PDB file of all heavy atoms in Angstrom:
ATOM      1  N   ASP A   3     145.518 137.576  10.757  1.00 41.00           N
ATOM      2  CA  ASP A   3     146.347 136.541  11.510  1.00 41.00           C
ATOM      3  C   ASP A   3     147.471 137.332  12.206  1.00 41.00           C
ATOM      4  O   ASP A   3     148.014 136.969  13.210  1.00 41.00           O
ATOM      5  CB  ASP A   3     146.979 135.567  10.574  1.00 41.00           C
ATOM      6  CG  ASP A   3     145.939 134.523  10.237  1.00 41.00           C
ATOM      7  OD1 ASP A   3     144.839 134.599  10.697  1.00 41.00           O
ATOM      8  OD2 ASP A   3     146.311 133.542   9.369  1.00 41.00           O
ATOM      9  N   ARG A   4     148.017 138.445  11.588  1.00 38.00           N
ATOM     10  CA  ARG A   4     149.082 139.225  12.190  1.00 38.00           C
ATOM     11  C   ARG A   4     148.688 140.118  13.264  1.00 38.00           C
ATOM     12  O   ARG A   4     149.433 140.480  14.114  1.00 38.00           O
ATOM     13  CB  ARG A   4     149.745 140.089  11.117  1.00 38.00           C
ATOM     14  CG  ARG A   4     150.394 139.296  10.128  1.00 38.00           C
ATOM     15  CD  ARG A   4     151.405 140.240   9.190  1.00 38.00           C
ATOM     16  NE  ARG A   4     150.750 141.224   8.620  1.00 38.00           N
ATOM     17  CZ  ARG A   4     150.121 141.265   7.394  1.00 38.00           C
ATOM     18  NH1 ARG A   4     150.222 140.089   6.666  1.00 38.00           N
ATOM     19  NH2 ARG A   4     149.563 142.239   6.806  1.00 38.00           N
ATOM     20  N   LEU A   5     147.302 140.375  13.390  1.00 37.00           N
ATOM     21  CA  LEU A   5     146.819 141.254  14.372  1.00 37.00           C
ATOM     22  C   LEU A   5     146.278 140.529  15.527  1.00 37.00           C
ATOM     23  O   LEU A   5     146.364 141.011  16.684  1.00 37.00           O
ATOM     24  CB  LEU A   5     145.691 142.164  13.923  1.00 37.00           C
ATOM     25  CG  LEU A   5     146.074 143.085  12.766  1.00 37.00           C
ATOM     26  CD1 LEU A   5     144.845 143.843  12.316  1.00 37.00           C
ATOM     27  CD2 LEU A   5     147.188 144.012  13.178  1.00 37.00           C
ATOM     28  N   PHE A   6     145.660 139.304  15.462  1.00 40.00           N
ATOM     29  CA  PHE A   6     145.036 138.687  16.447  1.00 40.00           C
ATOM     30  C   PHE A   6     145.513 137.286  16.680  1.00 40.00           C
ATOM     31  O   PHE A   6     145.912 136.577  15.753  1.00 40.00           O
ATOM     32  CB  PHE A   6     143.538 138.580  16.177  1.00 40.00           C
ATOM     33  CG  PHE A   6     142.852 140.031  15.906  1.00 40.00           C
ATOM     34  CD1 PHE A   6     142.177 140.171  14.731  1.00 40.00           C
ATOM     35  CD2 PHE A   6     143.026 140.997  16.751  1.00 40.00           C
ATOM     36  CE1 PHE A   6     141.553 141.363  14.467  1.00 40.00           C
ATOM     37  CE2 PHE A   6     142.445 142.226  16.465  1.00 40.00           C
ATOM     38  CZ  PHE A   6     141.825 142.342  15.416  1.00 40.00           C
ATOM     39  N   ASN A   7     145.384 136.779  17.933  1.00 39.00           N
ATOM     40  CA  ASN A   7     145.692 135.317  18.226  1.00 39.00           C
ATOM     41  C   ASN A   7     144.469 134.541  17.759  1.00 39.00           C
ATOM     42  O   ASN A   7     143.372 134.872  18.238  1.00 39.00           O
ATOM     43  CB  ASN A   7     145.887 135.157  19.810  1.00 39.00           C
ATOM     44  CG  ASN A   7     147.319 135.712  20.090  1.00 39.00           C
ATOM     45  OD1 ASN A   7     148.238 135.707  19.192  1.00 39.00           O
ATOM     46  ND2 ASN A   7     147.475 136.090  21.354  1.00 39.00           N
ATOM     47  N   LEU A   8     144.629 133.470  17.005  1.00 37.00           N
ATOM     48  CA  LEU A   8     143.438 132.759  16.574  1.00 37.00           C
ATOM     49  C   LEU A   8     143.241 131.366  17.293  1.00 37.00           C
ATOM     50  O   LEU A   8     142.135 130.842  17.173  1.00 37.00           O
ATOM     51  CB  LEU A   8     143.582 132.482  15.013  1.00 37.00           C
ATOM     52  CG  LEU A   8     143.685 133.852  14.196  1.00 37.00           C
ATOM     53  CD1 LEU A   8     143.883 133.451  12.793  1.00 37.00           C
ATOM     54  CD2 LEU A   8     142.645 134.781  14.428  1.00 37.00           C
ATOM     55  N   THR A   9     144.231 130.963  17.900  1.00 38.00           N
ATOM     56  CA  THR A   9     144.037 129.677  18.689  1.00 38.00           C
ATOM     57  C   THR A   9     144.704 129.755  20.070  1.00 38.00           C
ATOM     58  O   THR A   9     145.536 130.605  20.272  1.00 38.00           O
ATOM     59  CB  THR A   9     144.812 128.460  17.762  1.00 38.00           C
ATOM     60  OG1 THR A   9     146.168 128.803  17.726  1.00 38.00           O
ATOM     61  CG2 THR A   9     144.184 128.465  16.403  1.00 38.00           C
ATOM     62  N   LYS A  10     144.293 128.704  20.877  1.00 41.00           N
ATOM     63  CA  LYS A  10     144.966 128.625  22.077  1.00 41.00           C
ATOM     64  C   LYS A  10     146.389 128.206  22.082  1.00 41.00           C
ATOM     65  O   LYS A  10     146.749 127.495  21.098  1.00 41.00           O
ATOM     66  CB  LYS A  10     144.156 127.673  22.992  1.00 41.00           C
ATOM     67  CG  LYS A  10     142.731 128.156  23.299  1.00 41.00           C
ATOM     68  CD  LYS A  10     142.016 127.178  24.259  1.00 41.00           C
ATOM     69  CE  LYS A  10     140.601 127.712  24.564  1.00 41.00           C
ATOM     70  NZ  LYS A  10     139.869 126.862  25.447  1.00 41.00           N
ATOM     71  N   SER A  11     147.212 128.658  22.968  1.00 41.00           N
ATOM     72  CA  SER A  11     148.666 128.317  22.975  1.00 41.00           C
ATOM     73  C   SER A  11     149.017 127.348  24.064  1.00 41.00           C
ATOM     74  O   SER A  11     148.386 127.177  24.983  1.00 41.00           O
ATOM     75  CB  SER A  11     149.361 129.655  23.156  1.00 41.00           C
ATOM     76  OG  SER A  11     148.974 130.576  22.134  1.00 41.00           O
ATOM     77  N   THR A  12     150.131 126.668  23.830  1.00 42.00           N
ATOM     78  CA  THR A  12     150.656 125.719  24.791  1.00 42.00           C
ATOM     79  C   THR A  12     151.915 126.581  25.440  1.00 42.00           C
ATOM     80  O   THR A  12     152.730 126.923  24.846  1.00 42.00           O
ATOM     81  CB  THR A  12     151.178 124.509  24.137  1.00 42.00           C
ATOM     82  OG1 THR A  12     150.143 123.806  23.426  1.00 42.00           O
ATOM     83  CG2 THR A  12     151.844 123.531  25.127  1.00 42.00           C
ATOM     84  N   LYS A  13     151.748 126.576  26.853  1.00 44.00           N
ATOM     85  CA  LYS A  13     152.849 127.367  27.503  1.00 44.00           C
ATOM     86  C   LYS A  13     153.872 126.459  28.035  1.00 44.00           C
ATOM     87  O   LYS A  13     153.710 125.413  28.539  1.00 44.00           O
ATOM     88  CB  LYS A  13     152.137 128.214  28.647  1.00 44.00           C
ATOM     89  CG  LYS A  13     151.098 129.207  28.070  1.00 44.00           C
ATOM     90  CD  LYS A  13     150.510 129.961  29.225  1.00 44.00           C
ATOM     91  CE  LYS A  13     149.467 131.017  28.754  1.00 44.00           C
ATOM     92  NZ  LYS A  13     148.742 131.709  29.873  1.00 44.00           N
ATOM     93  N   SER A  14     155.156 127.018  28.150  1.00 44.00           N
ATOM     94  CA  SER A  14     156.307 126.381  28.722  1.00 44.00           C
ATOM     95  C   SER A  14     156.468 126.906  30.128  1.00 44.00           C
ATOM     96  O   SER A  14     155.793 127.883  30.568  1.00 44.00           O
ATOM     97  CB  SER A  14     157.446 126.549  27.840  1.00 44.00           C
ATOM     98  OG  SER A  14     157.929 127.894  27.931  1.00 44.00           O
ATOM     99  N   GLN A  15     157.530 126.378  30.863  1.00 46.00           N
ATOM    100  CA  GLN A  15     157.881 126.932  32.123  1.00 46.00           C
ATOM    101  C   GLN A  15     158.504 128.328  31.969  1.00 46.00           C
ATOM    102  O   GLN A  15     159.251 128.519  31.026  1.00 46.00           O
ATOM    103  CB  GLN A  15     158.846 125.899  32.648  1.00 46.00           C
ATOM    104  CG  GLN A  15     158.216 124.596  33.139  1.00 46.00           C
ATOM    105  CD  GLN A  15     157.185 124.833  34.126  1.00 46.00           C
ATOM    106  OE1 GLN A  15     157.259 125.594  35.083  1.00 46.00           O
ATOM    107  NE2 GLN A  15     156.024 124.054  33.905  1.00 46.00           N
ATOM    108  N   PRO A  16     158.219 129.211  32.878  1.00 52.00           N
ATOM    109  CA  PRO A  16     158.682 130.570  32.622  1.00 52.00           C
ATOM    110  C   PRO A  16     160.118 130.703  32.977  1.00 52.00           C
ATOM    111  O   PRO A  16     160.727 129.792  33.785  1.00 52.00           O
ATOM    112  CB  PRO A  16     157.893 131.361  33.675  1.00 52.00           C
ATOM    113  CG  PRO A  16     157.478 130.308  34.688  1.00 52.00           C
ATOM    114  CD  PRO A  16     157.238 129.144  34.017  1.00 52.00           C
ATOM    115  N   ASP A  17     160.771 131.725  32.435  1.00 82.00           N
ATOM    116  CA  ASP A  17     162.305 131.857  32.455  1.00 82.00           C
ATOM    117  C   ASP A  17     162.327 133.357  32.951  1.00 82.00           C
ATOM    118  O   ASP A  17     161.387 133.893  33.405  1.00 82.00           O
ATOM    119  CB  ASP A  17     162.972 131.789  31.212  1.00 82.00           C
ATOM    120  CG  ASP A  17     164.399 131.683  31.291  1.00 82.00           C
ATOM    121  OD1 ASP A  17     164.989 131.838  32.410  1.00 82.00           O
ATOM    122  OD2 ASP A  17     165.128 131.363  30.255  1.00 82.00           O
ATOM    123  N   SER A  18     163.532 133.936  32.985  1.00 87.00           N
ATOM    124  CA  SER A  18     163.632 135.407  33.444  1.00 87.00           C
ATOM    125  C   SER A  18     164.791 135.957  32.565  1.00 87.00           C
ATOM    126  O   SER A  18     165.602 135.338  32.069  1.00 87.00           O
ATOM    127  CB  SER A  18     163.906 135.455  34.895  1.00 87.00           C
ATOM    128  OG  SER A  18     165.114 134.886  35.258  1.00 87.00           O
ATOM    129  N   LEU A  19     164.595 137.309  32.476  1.00 89.00           N
ATOM    130  CA  LEU A  19     165.600 138.112  31.761  1.00 89.00           C
ATOM    131  C   LEU A  19     166.009 139.333  32.595  1.00 89.00           C
ATOM    132  O   LEU A  19     165.164 140.011  33.102  1.00 89.00           O
ATOM    133  CB  LEU A  19     165.085 138.521  30.379  1.00 89.00           C
ATOM    134  CG  LEU A  19     165.948 139.332  29.496  1.00 89.00           C
ATOM    135  CD1 LEU A  19     167.128 138.521  28.940  1.00 89.00           C
ATOM    136  CD2 LEU A  19     165.050 139.935  28.275  1.00 89.00           C
ATOM    137  N   GLN A  20     167.260 139.518  32.679  1.00 90.00           N
ATOM    138  CA  GLN A  20     167.756 140.753  33.387  1.00 90.00           C
ATOM    139  C   GLN A  20     167.610 141.916  32.621  1.00 90.00           C
ATOM    140  O   GLN A  20     168.240 142.105  31.617  1.00 90.00           O
ATOM    141  CB  GLN A  20     169.164 140.503  34.005  1.00 90.00           C
ATOM    142  CG  GLN A  20     169.605 141.421  35.118  1.00 90.00           C
ATOM    143  CD  GLN A  20     168.906 141.174  36.469  1.00 90.00           C
ATOM    144  OE1 GLN A  20     168.465 139.972  36.697  1.00 90.00           O
ATOM    145  NE2 GLN A  20     168.663 142.219  37.276  1.00 90.00           N
ATOM    146  N   VAL A  21     166.839 142.989  33.183  1.00 89.00           N
ATOM    147  CA  VAL A  21     166.657 144.205  32.409  1.00 89.00           C
ATOM    148  C   VAL A  21     167.053 145.299  33.398  1.00 89.00           C
ATOM    149  O   VAL A  21     166.277 145.553  34.296  1.00 89.00           O
ATOM    150  CB  VAL A  21     165.259 144.437  31.980  1.00 89.00           C
ATOM    151  CG1 VAL A  21     165.175 145.716  31.220  1.00 89.00           C
ATOM    152  CG2 VAL A  21     164.792 143.250  31.112  1.00 89.00           C
ATOM    153  N   GLY A  22     168.301 145.796  33.335  1.00 86.00           N
ATOM    154  CA  GLY A  22     168.867 146.712  34.292  1.00 86.00           C
ATOM    155  C   GLY A  22     168.884 145.976  35.695  1.00 86.00           C
ATOM    156  O   GLY A  22     169.555 144.916  35.756  1.00 86.00           O
ATOM    157  N   ALA A  23     168.265 146.514  36.678  1.00 84.00           N
ATOM    158  CA  ALA A  23     168.361 145.979  38.055  1.00 84.00           C
ATOM    159  C   ALA A  23     167.114 144.993  38.307  1.00 84.00           C
ATOM    160  O   ALA A  23     167.052 144.449  39.276  1.00 84.00           O
ATOM    161  CB  ALA A  23     168.327 147.011  39.152  1.00 84.00           C
ATOM    162  N   MET A  24     166.268 144.840  37.193  1.00 85.00           N
ATOM    163  CA  MET A  24     165.066 144.074  37.381  1.00 85.00           C
ATOM    164  C   MET A  24     165.223 142.721  36.662  1.00 85.00           C
ATOM    165  O   MET A  24     165.667 142.570  35.482  1.00 85.00           O
ATOM    166  CB  MET A  24     163.833 144.811  36.927  1.00 85.00           C
ATOM    167  CG  MET A  24     162.580 144.098  37.170  1.00 85.00           C
ATOM    168  SD  MET A  24     161.214 145.135  36.558  1.00 85.00           S
ATOM    169  CE  MET A  24     161.426 146.582  37.671  1.00 85.00           C
ATOM    170  N   ALA A  25     164.806 141.527  37.341  1.00 90.00           N
ATOM    171  CA  ALA A  25     164.659 140.332  36.597  1.00 90.00           C
ATOM    172  C   ALA A  25     163.222 140.253  36.170  1.00 90.00           C
ATOM    173  O   ALA A  25     162.306 140.015  37.052  1.00 90.00           O
ATOM    174  CB  ALA A  25     165.010 139.196  37.665  1.00 90.00           C
ATOM    175  N   VAL A  26     163.129 140.282  34.860  1.00 90.00           N
ATOM    176  CA  VAL A  26     161.754 140.247  34.300  1.00 90.00           C
ATOM    177  C   VAL A  26     161.388 138.667  33.972  1.00 90.00           C
ATOM    178  O   VAL A  26     162.110 138.155  33.209  1.00 90.00           O
ATOM    179  CB  VAL A  26     161.652 141.113  33.092  1.00 90.00           C
ATOM    180  CG1 VAL A  26     160.260 140.985  32.421  1.00 90.00           C
ATOM    181  CG2 VAL A  26     162.016 142.471  33.425  1.00 90.00           C
ATOM    182  N   PRO A  27     160.280 138.220  34.456  1.00 91.00           N
ATOM    183  CA  PRO A  27     159.808 136.838  34.152  1.00 91.00           C
ATOM    184  C   PRO A  27     159.483 136.818  32.662  1.00 91.00           C
ATOM    185  O   PRO A  27     158.900 137.634  32.101  1.00 91.00           O
ATOM    186  CB  PRO A  27     158.550 136.665  34.969  1.00 91.00           C
ATOM    187  CG  PRO A  27     158.634 137.703  36.089  1.00 91.00           C
ATOM    188  CD  PRO A  27     159.384 138.806  35.445  1.00 91.00           C
ATOM    189  N   LEU A  28     159.968 135.642  32.014  1.00 91.00           N
ATOM    190  CA  LEU A  28     159.702 135.344  30.636  1.00 91.00           C
ATOM    191  C   LEU A  28     158.806 134.207  30.506  1.00 91.00           C
ATOM    192  O   LEU A  28     159.094 133.165  31.225  1.00 91.00           O
ATOM    193  CB  LEU A  28     160.994 135.102  29.819  1.00 91.00           C
ATOM    194  CG  LEU A  28     161.980 136.271  29.568  1.00 91.00           C
ATOM    195  CD1 LEU A  28     163.143 135.614  28.777  1.00 91.00           C
ATOM    196  CD2 LEU A  28     161.292 137.264  28.642  1.00 91.00           C
ATOM    197  N   LEU A  29     157.784 134.361  29.726  1.00 90.00           N
ATOM    198  CA  LEU A  29     156.813 133.226  29.509  1.00 90.00           C
ATOM    199  C   LEU A  29     156.809 132.939  28.010  1.00 90.00           C
ATOM    200  O   LEU A  29     156.435 133.772  27.117  1.00 90.00           O
ATOM    201  CB  LEU A  29     155.416 133.626  29.943  1.00 90.00           C
ATOM    202  CG  LEU A  29     154.481 132.488  29.808  1.00 90.00           C
ATOM    203  CD1 LEU A  29     154.754 131.294  30.706  1.00 90.00           C
ATOM    204  CD2 LEU A  29     152.989 132.988  30.186  1.00 90.00           C
ATOM    205  N   PHE A  30     157.242 131.708  27.668  1.00 92.00           N
ATOM    206  CA  PHE A  30     157.262 131.367  26.242  1.00 92.00           C
ATOM    207  C   PHE A  30     156.100 130.573  25.873  1.00 92.00           C
ATOM    208  O   PHE A  30     155.629 129.619  26.592  1.00 92.00           O
ATOM    209  CB  PHE A  30     158.613 130.350  25.976  1.00 92.00           C
ATOM    210  CG  PHE A  30     159.887 131.125  26.281  1.00 92.00           C
ATOM    211  CD1 PHE A  30     160.471 130.956  27.561  1.00 92.00           C
ATOM    212  CD2 PHE A  30     160.463 131.930  25.377  1.00 92.00           C
ATOM    213  CE1 PHE A  30     161.709 131.552  27.776  1.00 92.00           C
ATOM    214  CE2 PHE A  30     161.711 132.596  25.651  1.00 92.00           C
ATOM    215  CZ  PHE A  30     162.282 132.404  26.959  1.00 92.00           C
ATOM    216  N   VAL A  31     155.381 131.074  24.810  1.00 90.00           N
ATOM    217  CA  VAL A  31     154.160 130.480  24.330  1.00 90.00           C
ATOM    218  C   VAL A  31     154.299 130.011  22.872  1.00 90.00           C
ATOM    219  O   VAL A  31     154.578 130.909  22.050  1.00 90.00           O
ATOM    220  CB  VAL A  31     153.056 131.545  24.561  1.00 90.00           C
ATOM    221  CG1 VAL A  31     151.720 130.953  24.052  1.00 90.00           C
ATOM    222  CG2 VAL A  31     152.917 132.037  25.969  1.00 90.00           C
TER     223      VAL A  31
END
Side-chain angles (χ1 to χ4, degrees):
D3 283 358
R4 295 195 299 272
L5 299 181
F6 305 126
N7 288 333
L8 302 181
T9 60
K10 293 182 178 179
S11 307
T12 302
K13 298 180 180 179
S14 69
Q15 293 299 316
D17 196 351
S18 64
L19 180 66
Q20 196 69 29
V21 182
M24 183 179 297
V26 179
L28 288 177
L29 183 62
F30 298 99
V31 181

